[in-house]
Amino acid sequence: MEQRTLLCLLLAVVVIAKPADEEKKSRVYNEKLSDEEHFVNDEHNPDYDHEAFLGEDEARTFDQLTPEESKDRLSKIVDKIDLDHDGLVTEKELHDWIEYTQKRYINDDVKRQWNANNPENRETLHWSEYKAMVYGFMENMDPSELEDEEGMTYAEMVKRDERRWHLADEDDDEALSIKEFTDFLHPEEAEHMQSIVVTETMEDIDKDKDGKISLEEYIGDMYRGAGDEFEPAWVSNEREQFREYRDKNGDGYLDEDEVKGWIIPPDYNHADAEAKHLIYEADSDDDRMLTKEEILNKYDVFVGSQATDFGEALVRHDEF
């Protein structure tokens, strides 16, 4: 149902778990560079680069393009990234482009949600109005139907959204400005909202509700085949990550501070890291800058004609 689609925005860093034989699910906040896992089976995932470079919502057609068409369209984007038009794409220019695609996703998403829930475009949106728009369908549903596929009831979703709404409502007037609405939809972007990201993550993973996350709960959140005799190698790696890096105090559990360090890593800028990675991949003369030729020679790293979900950014005419 259409209303259920809106509920998918409950947490930007959370994605629905995939079947046991597919890639793992990630809860690490990645500034919306991509919904793809950055590493799969300890190998760098090129799909992450494609989405980070082009932007998820603007990347839908490259699988239909020939290598020649891909390179032609990529060439046009390189001209936009090279803001000083000196023929060289610097790490900063690449960083700024990646941040731009991230912000464009957020701005487009907020605008779409704001218009849908506030069709008269008033300065603020009241909780009662939002609740009626998103959850009004509940009034005509049988109680037995009021539970989603993940086991959370719609009543619990309302309660969670209302709690997040009040945190975003900085002036406590029960209504959100578009800036506050942005914080509500994308709490990971606002420092004063990050606590709710941690709280919601804890609630999702902590199945026995003891206020901490065990190794079994941690693995079970990303791998539904937990306990199988032959589990993927990445699962063993995640067990090691939990013991060696996530569980800072070595007590066998993750508390709220440890969860925050996991899903919102401090002092780590994903746009910086991705810009450095793309330069590393394409910089053939090791001058820490990229010519258009170097980028086009590695066009598959940036867009990949075989990547089914990437490329629509190149057919838009409003990148800047």
Side-chain angles (χ1 to χ4, degrees), residues 114 118 122-130 161-185 192-193:
W114 183 260
N118 182 19
R122 295 188 299 272
E123 289 188 3
T124 59
L125 176 63
H126 284 263
W127 165 249
S128 59
E129 296 168 328
Y130 179 82
D161 265 7
E162 186 172 13
R163 179 181 60 188
R164 189 195 288 191
W165 186 280
H166 287 310
L167 187 60
D169 181 18
E170 293 191 276
D171 58 8
D172 296 321
D173 64 353
E174 295 291 326
L176 302 186
S177 65
I178 194 166
K179 189 271 179 189
E180 292 171 327
F181 190 64
T182 300
D183 294 343
F184 169 75
L185 291 181
H192 74 283
M193 296 289 293

Side-chain angles (χ1 to χ4, degrees), residues 81-124:
I81 300 173
D82 180 18
L83 292 178
D84 60 7
H85 307 295
D86 66 351
L88 297 171
V89 172
T90 65
E91 185 177 306
K92 183 181 186 305
E93 288 173 328
L94 194 52
H95 168 275
D96 290 347
W97 170 263
I98 292 170
E99 279 204 337
Y100 165 73
T101 63
Q102 171 211 349
K103 291 176 181 177
R104 182 175 61 189
Y105 162 79
I106 292 172
N107 291 337
D108 288 352
D109 179 56
V110 170
K111 182 178 179 180
R112 177 175 61 85
Q113 294 286 338
W114 183 260
N115 291 339
N117 291 284
N118 182 19
E120 296 179 6
N121 196 28
R122 295 188 299 272
E123 289 188 3
T124 59

Side-chain angles (χ1 to χ4, degrees), residues 24 30 49 68 85 96 99 110 129 137 212 214 225 263 267 300 310:
K24 65 182 176 180
N30 60 21
D49 295 329
E68 290 72 23
H85 307 295
D96 290 347
E99 279 204 337
V110 170
E129 296 168 328
F137 68 95
K212 53 191 177 182
S214 67
I263 65 173
D267 303 322
D300 55 323
F310 315 109

Side-chain angles (χ1 to χ4, degrees), residues 54-70:
L54 296 174
E56 179 188 13
D57 283 356
E58 314 306 329
R60 303 295 180 194
T61 61
F62 254 84
D63 58 319
Q64 306 297 324
L65 302 180
T66 66
E68 290 72 23
E69 290 171 325
S70 295

Side-chain angles (χ1 to χ4, degrees), residues 33-45:
L33 299 190
S34 171
D35 277 338
E36 293 290 334
E37 185 73 7
H38 203 167
F39 293 88
V40 175
N41 297 332
D42 297 327
E43 297 294 332
H44 192 273
N45 179 12

